[in-house]
């Protein structure tokens, strides 16, 4: 008996080692397995103490944890300091902060990536959809009122027969939607409360027109398109909280209005922007960015804008490649914006490529200075082998490379056929070369074939020299087009609200 009691006591003590902070489990490599035994479903945030995005998420994460705990939910939230628990972070492929993963059913292997917003309601709703029924059944008016009151967006299916074909299609749509609660009702009192006289699907929201009623053939695909078109405001402000919804959504064409909230005509321009948005629901996402906010300055830089140049309108596509468009007129009226968007949808716009003016002394130094306006002429010169560093002024890795790159330029400054050059890719864009991270090093060998070779070797003077002397073979990747793979993480601070896992010393590049 004593032995049995001792074992039980040790087991309880072991579980007690999983500490909590504001209802969030503090997880480590040493207690993760024990935590999953006690709480099979845990949403885990991998964070860094210095990460600004993690600090912004913290209160919302704790609020979500408290909500679930108060409701008696078995689902828990946990956090891992990835700068301390480096083995655990590496095991789960943590590349940036915060990274959020859902461990379900006590399984440690292959947790699911969290894919919704970063506000408490978003987190709670996502977890409920992942662990409970896809559709809640509403039997009383008070239940429907609570659902609508407690959520920014909620969808209710009004079906007299909950087993009808339309109701089944509704359930299938609900199963594939993580971040919005779906409910179903056959109750006459609820029908009457919301003035519904026949089978319908209604999306309730706390913005714009307040509710949208589905119209058309009720299929899973049509319902999902309906929800996608109406779940976000006509104009959504870019913040750390809304970034995941903006960039993680299915609408990949975004028009952005850069405007300070302090502008005397702010509301007038916002009204014009919102009026234009009405005709492009489900096609183009209309986003407002406060150009006075310090955290938004990297976004302005990404579009080649300065605060004093705002208000301004830009359009970007995030499909296979990021492509930017600029209106001919900077006039911000509903008519001008509608016309600009129509030209885009009709495929009649040419991409806007940023370029600085060519410096007068661009070729006076060993490392030649390239901009958009002289890039083609120099990079694809038929008799020159051109080695180019694509950099960002703020990139720590680029700064570390500078003295080595200058030595390389000095080594080949008198060469008849080798040019060492650099280009600021935050201020210059090239249609033929896409840069996703900094520094990016590319070699343009002499000839008329317009070949581009990525450099993947050591970033040393010796490594660069071997590469050039071998004609781009020693340390080079296979010749061909630039890698077109771009995921949400690669956009980093520009959009995702995520800090890279590197502190600037270990990783080989800074993300765009």
């Amino acid at each position: 008996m004593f032995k049995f009691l001792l074992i039980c006591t040790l087991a309880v003590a072991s579980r007690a080692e999983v500490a909590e902070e504001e209802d969030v489990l503090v997880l480590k490599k040493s207690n993760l397995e024990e935590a999953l035994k006690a709480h099979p479903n845990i949403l885990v945030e991998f964070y860094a103490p210095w990460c600004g995005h993690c600090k912004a998420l913290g209160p919302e994460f704790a609020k979500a944890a408290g909500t679930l705990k108060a409701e008696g939910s078995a689902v828990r939230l946990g956090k891992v300091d990835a700068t301390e628990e480096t083995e655990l972070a590496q095991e789960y492929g943590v590349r940036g902060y915060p990274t959020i993963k859902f461990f379900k059913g006590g399984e440690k292997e292959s947790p699911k990536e969290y894919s919704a917003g970063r506000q408490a309601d978003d987190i709670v709703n996502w977890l409920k959809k992942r662990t409970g029924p896809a559709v809640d059944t509403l039997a009383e008016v008070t239940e429907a009122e609570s659902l609508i009151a407690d959520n920014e967006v909620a969808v209710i299916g009004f079906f007299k027969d909950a087993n009808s074909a339309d109701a089944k299609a509704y359930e299938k749509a609900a199963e594939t939607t993580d971040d919005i609660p779906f409910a179903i009702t056959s109750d006459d009192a609820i029908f009457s409360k919301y003035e519904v006289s026949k089978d319908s699907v209604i999306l309730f929201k706390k913005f714009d027109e307040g509710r949208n009623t589905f119209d058309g053939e009720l299929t899973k695909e049509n319902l999902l398109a309906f929800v996608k078109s109406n779940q976000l405001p006509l104009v959504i402000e870019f913040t750390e909280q809304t970034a995941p919804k903006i960039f993680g959504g299915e609408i990949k064409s975004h028009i952005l209005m850069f405007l300070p909230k302090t502008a005397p005509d702010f509301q007038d321009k916002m009204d014009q922007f919102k009026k234009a948005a009405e005709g492009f629901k489900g096609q183009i996402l209309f986003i407002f960015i406060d150009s006075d906010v310090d955290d938004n300055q990297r976004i302005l830089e990404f579009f080649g804008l300065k605060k004093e140049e705002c208000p301004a309108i830009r359009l970007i596509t995030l499909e296979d490649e990021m492509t930017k468009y600029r209106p001919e007129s900077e006039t911000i009226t509903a008519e001008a914006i509608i016309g600009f968007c129509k030209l885009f949808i009709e495929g009649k716009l040419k991409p806007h490529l940023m370029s600085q003016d060519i410096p007068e002394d661009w070729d006076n130094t060993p490392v030649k200075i390239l901009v958009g306006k002289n890039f083609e002429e120099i990079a694809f010169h038929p008799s020159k082998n051109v080695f180019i560093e694509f950099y960002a002024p703020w990139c720590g890795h680029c700064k570390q490379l500078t003295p080595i790159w200058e030595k390389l330029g000095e080594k080949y400054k008198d060469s008849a056929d080798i040019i060492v050059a650099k280009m600021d890719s935050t201020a210059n864009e090239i249609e033929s070369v896409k840069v996703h991270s900094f520094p990016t090093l590319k070699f343009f060998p002499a000839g008329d074939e317009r070949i581009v070779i990525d450099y993947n070797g050591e970033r040393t003077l010796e490594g660069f020299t071997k590469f050039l002397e071998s004609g781009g073979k020693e340390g080079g990747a296979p010749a061909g087009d630039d890698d077109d793979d771009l995921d949400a993480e690669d956009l980093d601070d520009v959009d995702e609200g995520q800090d890279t896992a590197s502190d600037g010393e270990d990783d080989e590049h800074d993300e765009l």
Side-chain angles (χ1 to χ4, degrees):
M1 175 62 73
F2 174 76
K3 187 175 181 181
F4 173 74
L5 289 174
L6 179 61
I7 291 171
C8 290
T9 302
L10 289 173
V12 171
S14 176
R15 289 193 176 185
E17 289 177 6
V18 183
E20 291 187 25
E21 292 178 1
E22 296 181 294
D23 299 319
V24 178
L25 301 172
V26 180
L27 303 175
K28 307 173 184 291
K29 184 176 178 64
S30 60
N31 69 11
L32 178 60
E33 194 166 336
E34 192 63 44
L36 287 170
K37 287 179 182 177
H39 313 287
N41 297 320
I42 308 178
L43 183 70
V44 179
E45 174 202 5
F46 292 84
Y47 73 97
W50 47 260
C51 164
H53 303 299
C54 302
K55 291 175 183 177
L57 173 63
E60 294 296 321
F61 208 68
K63 183 180 176 182
T67 298
L68 290 168
K69 198 173 183 181
E71 292 178 354
S73 172
V75 181
R76 298 301 304 273
L77 272 64
K79 60 182 180 180
V80 174
D81 182 344
T83 65
E84 293 288 337
E85 298 294 321
T86 53
E87 282 187 50
L88 205 56
Q90 186 173 3
E91 180 180 349
Y92 291 108
V94 176
R95 289 178 54 202
Y97 307 124
T99 289
I100 308 173
K101 293 179 181 284
F102 182 48
F103 294 79
K104 187 175 182 180
E107 294 291 331
K108 283 182 63 180
E109 292 74 26
S110 304
K112 181 174 180 59
E113 293 284 342
Y114 175 74
S115 58
R118 291 185 184 171
Q119 293 176 305
D121 287 346
D122 298 322
I123 296 167
V124 171
N125 288 332
W126 190 88
L127 287 168
K128 285 182 176 179
K129 291 295 287 288
R130 285 287 164 188
T131 56
V135 179
D136 289 328
T137 300
L138 305 177
E140 297 180 3
V141 170
T142 54
E143 294 176 346
E145 289 175 332
S146 295
L147 178 73
I148 295 167
D150 293 344
N151 293 280
E152 188 79 4
V153 178
V155 183
I156 299 179
F158 295 82
F159 297 102
K160 291 296 185 181
D161 179 4
N163 294 312
S164 66
D166 283 353
K168 295 299 181 186
Y170 175 77
E171 288 181 8
K172 288 186 180 297
E175 288 169 359
T176 61
T177 307
D178 292 330
D179 54 344
I180 297 175
F182 277 62
I184 192 169
T185 186
S186 301
D187 183 73
D188 290 338
I190 300 178
F191 268 69
S192 177
K193 167 70 178 178
Y194 296 102
E195 300 178 342
V196 178
S197 58
K198 61 180 182 178
D199 284 6
S200 301
V201 174
I202 299 178
L203 182 145
F204 295 89
K205 56 191 181 184
K206 294 180 178 177
F207 49 84
D208 297 340
E209 61 270 53
R211 63 188 272 179
N212 303 102
T213 302
F214 175 79
D215 182 26
E217 182 185 359
L218 207 157
T219 65
K220 170 187 169 182
E221 292 72 24
N222 289 344
L223 275 174
L224 290 175
F226 162 75
V227 171
K228 179 182 74 172
S229 296
N230 294 288
Q231 71 180 102
L232 293 175
L234 281 172
V235 175
I236 183 168
E237 181 176 358
F238 179 87
T239 65
E240 284 188 354
Q241 287 71 38
T242 61
K245 291 183 179 180
I246 291 171
F247 294 97
E250 294 184 20
I251 302 174
K252 299 302 183 184
S253 298
H254 301 169
I255 186 168
L256 304 96
M257 178 172 68
F258 297 88
L259 175 69
K261 279 187 177 179
T262 55
D265 59 347
F266 171 81
Q267 194 55 54
D268 176 63
K269 283 187 167 52
M270 183 61 74
D271 290 342
Q272 294 292 316
F273 197 55
K274 190 171 183 178
K275 184 178 179 181
E278 293 173 359
F280 299 96
K281 285 170 65 173
Q283 294 178 291
I284 301 174
L285 207 56
F286 279 62
I287 302 166
F288 156 66
I289 297 177
D290 187 345
S291 55
D292 274 348
V293 173
D294 288 342
D295 286 347
N296 292 337
Q297 297 314 301
R298 282 276 293 276
I299 307 173
L300 267 74
E301 181 182 301
F302 180 69
F303 283 91
L305 285 168
K306 298 177 181 178
K307 285 204 296 188
E308 54 269 26
E309 295 176 304
C310 298
I313 297 288
R314 295 293 185 270
L315 195 150
I316 185 170
T317 60
L318 301 175
E319 293 288 354
D320 296 327
E321 278 295 345
M322 289 185 293
T323 305
K324 305 171 191 174
Y325 301 89
R326 175 180 177 173
E328 289 187 5
S329 169
E330 294 295 343
T331 303
I332 298 180
T333 63
E335 184 180 8
I337 296 167
I338 289 169
F340 178 54
C341 290
K342 283 183 175 178
L343 288 174
F344 165 73
I345 289 173
E346 293 167 1
K348 295 180 180 178
L349 291 180
K350 289 184 178 180
H352 171 63
L353 300 173
M354 296 186 298
S355 177
Q356 297 172 305
D357 290 330
I358 302 174
E360 291 184 7
D361 60 346
W362 72 271
D363 62 345
N364 288 352
T365 54
V367 176
K368 310 308 177 187
I369 301 171
L370 302 187
V371 297
K373 293 178 180 178
N374 68 350
F375 178 85
E376 287 280 326
E377 177 187 355
I378 305 303
F380 293 108
H381 194 292
S383 63
K384 303 291 184 182
N385 296 290
V386 187
F387 199 13
I388 303 174
E389 176 202 5
F390 298 88
Y391 73 97
W394 45 259
C395 165
H397 305 295
C398 302
K399 293 174 183 177
Q400 291 174 6
L401 178 61
T402 296
I404 302 172
W405 201 249
E406 288 178 349
K407 287 179 182 177
L408 185 70
E410 186 70 31
K411 184 179 181 72
Y412 289 99
K413 68 177 183 179
D414 296 323
S415 173
D417 61 352
I418 292 178
I419 294 176
V420 177
K422 64 180 181 179
M423 189 177 84
D424 179 353
S425 286
T426 67
N428 300 278
E429 295 172 314
I430 307 299
E431 192 167 5
S432 56
V433 178
K434 302 299 181 183
V435 177
H436 299 153
S437 60
F438 303 121
T440 287
L441 306 176
K442 293 182 181 290
F443 180 58
F444 301 77
D448 296 320
E449 296 84 1
R450 295 176 65 88
I451 292 171
V452 182
I453 299 174
D454 290 318
Y455 178 77
N456 293 332
E458 294 181 358
R459 290 181 182 166
T460 62
L461 182 61
E462 294 75 17
F464 293 146
T465 301
K466 285 181 182 179
F467 177 72
L468 288 172
E469 297 297 334
S470 68
K473 295 177 182 177
E474 185 75 31
D481 293 335
D482 186 44
D483 179 7
D484 287 341
D485 237 0
L486 182 69
D487 58 28
E489 254 182 78
D490 289 327
L491 293 173
D492 191 40
D493 286 334
V494 175
D495 58 27
E496 264 297 295
Q498 187 177 64
D499 284 325
T500 52
S502 170
D503 61 3
E505 295 178 359
D506 299 322
D507 277 1
E508 292 182 352
H509 62 266
D510 282 332
E511 302 294 356
L512 187 61

